[in-house]
Structure formats: structure tokens, C-alpha cells
Amino acid sequence: DGGITQSPKYLFRKEGQNVTLSCEQNLNHDAMYWYRQDPGQGLRLIYYSQIVNDFQKGDIAEGYSVSREKKESFPLTVTSAQKNPTAFYLCASKRSRAANQPQHFGDGTRLSIL
Amino acid sequence: GQQLNQSPQSMFIQEGEDVSMNCTSSSIFNTWLWYKQDPGEGPVLLIALYKAGELTSNGRLTAQFGITRKDSFLNISASIPSDVGIYFCAGQLFGNTGNQFYFGTGTSLTVIP
């Protein structure tokens, strides 16, 4: 089955700890994205990558880091510098840089602070 | 970042009623997407629109790309209980080579049986 897999579904972080959220896709999509979702707000872009070994900051990149070493994988690290990390994190992918392509989403990871 | 104004924020309707929601922007978009999100899940793509004036249906759902390129609407006909969820619009700016999408704040739909 083709799709986008995010893991874990739930994640807990202690103060001062870095945590990494996994996102894997087997759709052969070029572009991948990370969003943060807070209650009552639209999705806000953290980072995106259009090609392997390249990524750009989104609107709220501070306190986060990413890597794109493989086409199918785009892990997100929430660092201790992110002071309000509790949120629902969504990974998405898109087939190419062409304009007429939609984004598809994974099922999300809910991050909470202990 | 770019903001999309989505309305209404929430709707409570009787089963069988029709639903209409819309998104507007101050900028021109070349793509409009509509998603549905269930609690604790990721958004699922409902309809994608790529041309101004385009009207597309997906079962009981119909969406249109506004002629001005600054708005889009989604209609749901004859609502059923499983239509409950949050509906999001998303758009890509005209001339955007950065592949970024922008999202509305969502319309929460409750269907009363």
C-alpha cells in the first residue's frame, strides 16, 4: 500500500530533551513537508524539502531541525530550544515541483511534554 | 505567512441538509485544495482545483475555484453523520516556485441525526 507513514503516533518529551519524529513515504514523491497544528489554528509550515539533501525553513522553523538524506525519509527533530512543543505534527508529500499537484498527509504524531 | 480566511468557523446542521463553506485570500492562488480531517488523524484530500472557474465534484461534494483566483467554496449535499469533521482549504500562490501551501483555519462540521 502506498502512503505516508508517521511514527510514533504519540510521543512524550521531557524538559531539555530532543526528540525525533519519523516520516517515511513510498509514493516516490520529490517534495516533503512538516507542519504543526494547534487547536483553532490552520497548519503552519515548519520545514520543507523539494529534493534530496536540500530543505528550506518555513514560517516557524525556530527550535526545529530536519534532514533529507533519502528521498523517502524526512525526519523532524524537535530540539530543547522549542519552548512550546506540545502540538500535533503532520508530515506531507507532493509528487513534484510542478504546480498542479496536491499534497498528501500522514496520520500525524501528537507530541506532549512530561 | 499568507493567511486564508475560511468561514464559517463551525456549523451545526441536521442530517440531510446541504452545507456550504468558503475560503478567501487577498492574493491570487493557482491551486485550491479541500481536505477533511477526523480527530487525531491527518487531513484527507477531497478535491483539488487547478483552473479559475473550475467546478469539480466528488460524490456529494462540489468545489469551485473562484474566477478572481482569490476564493474557493465547498458544498456538501444531503449531509450524513459521517460528514462530521474539520474541513480545511489550502492554496498555492500564483507564481509560487517554492512549493509552499497555505491553509485556512478550518470549518468544524457537526451533523445532528
Side-chain angles (χ1 to χ4, degrees):
Chain A
D1 241 11
I4 303 167
T5 302
Q6 290 188 241
S7 61
K9 182 74 171 175
Y10 301 94
L11 187 58
F12 298 90
R13 194 192 89 168
K14 295 180 181 178
E15 294 286 344
Q17 188 180 47
N18 293 354
V19 291
T20 298
L21 284 61
S22 169
C23 179
E24 303 278 331
Q25 54 97 0
N26 60 4
L27 301 168
N28 199 31
H29 284 181
D30 294 305
M32 297 186 74
Y33 308 76
W34 274 105
Y35 294 93
R36 172 181 170 135
Q37 187 175 33
D38 294 285
Q41 296 191 38
L43 278 66
R44 292 184 291 166
L45 182 65
I46 305 172
Y47 269 97
Y48 67 102
S49 168
Q50 299 186 73
I51 196 170
V52 174
N53 291 324
D54 184 62
F55 49 83
Q56 285 82 41
K57 293 181 179 180
D59 297 324
I60 55 165
E62 185 174 351
Y64 300 97
S65 66
V66 294
S67 62
R68 187 83 187 278
E69 297 177 1
K70 298 186 296 182
K71 188 176 184 178
E72 59 269 26
S73 179
F74 191 40
L76 173 73
T77 297
V78 184
T79 74
S80 57
Q82 172 50 243
K83 298 307 179 188
N84 183 25
T86 297
F88 192 50
Y89 290 87
L90 287 162
C91 178
S93 70
K94 179 176 178 283
R95 195 168 81 179
S96 71
R97 297 181 64 176
N100 292 1
Q101 297 291 333
Q103 282 190 339
H104 297 275
F105 286 87
D107 281 337
T109 292
R110 184 164 300 280
L111 176 61
S112 302
I113 299 301
L114 290 176
Chain B
Q2 181 70 219
Q3 293 292 323
L4 296 185
N5 299 309
Q6 185 171 349
S7 64
Q9 192 171 16
S10 61
M11 302 181 73
F12 294 82
I13 62 169
Q14 291 287 139
E15 183 177 357
E17 289 184 357
D18 296 344
V19 173
S20 184
M21 60 192 77
N22 70 82
C23 267
T24 60
S25 170
S26 57
S27 302
I28 294 174
F29 279 67
N30 65 10
T31 298
W32 283 99
L33 307 172
W34 285 94
Y35 292 90
K36 178 176 183 277
Q37 185 177 27
D38 292 325
E41 303 293 329
V44 174
L45 181 68
L46 299 174
I47 293 179
L49 302 160
Y50 301 114
K51 290 169 58 176
E54 180 180 357
L55 184 72
T56 297
S57 293
N58 178 7
R60 292 178 296 105
L61 278 62
T62 302
Q64 184 158 31
F65 192 140
I67 292 175
T68 65
R69 295 179 176 267
K70 294 183 178 182
D71 62 348
S72 176
F73 72 76
L74 174 70
N75 287 342
I76 305 173
S77 62
S79 59
I80 59 178
S82 62
D83 290 334
V84 166
I86 299 179
Y87 292 80
F88 288 98
C89 61
Q92 190 169 27
L93 286 171
F94 182 77
N96 180 0
T97 58
N99 254 334
Q100 291 188 57
F101 287 82
Y102 300 92
F103 290 81
T105 52
T107 295
S108 175
L109 178 63
T110 300
V111 179
I112 303 167

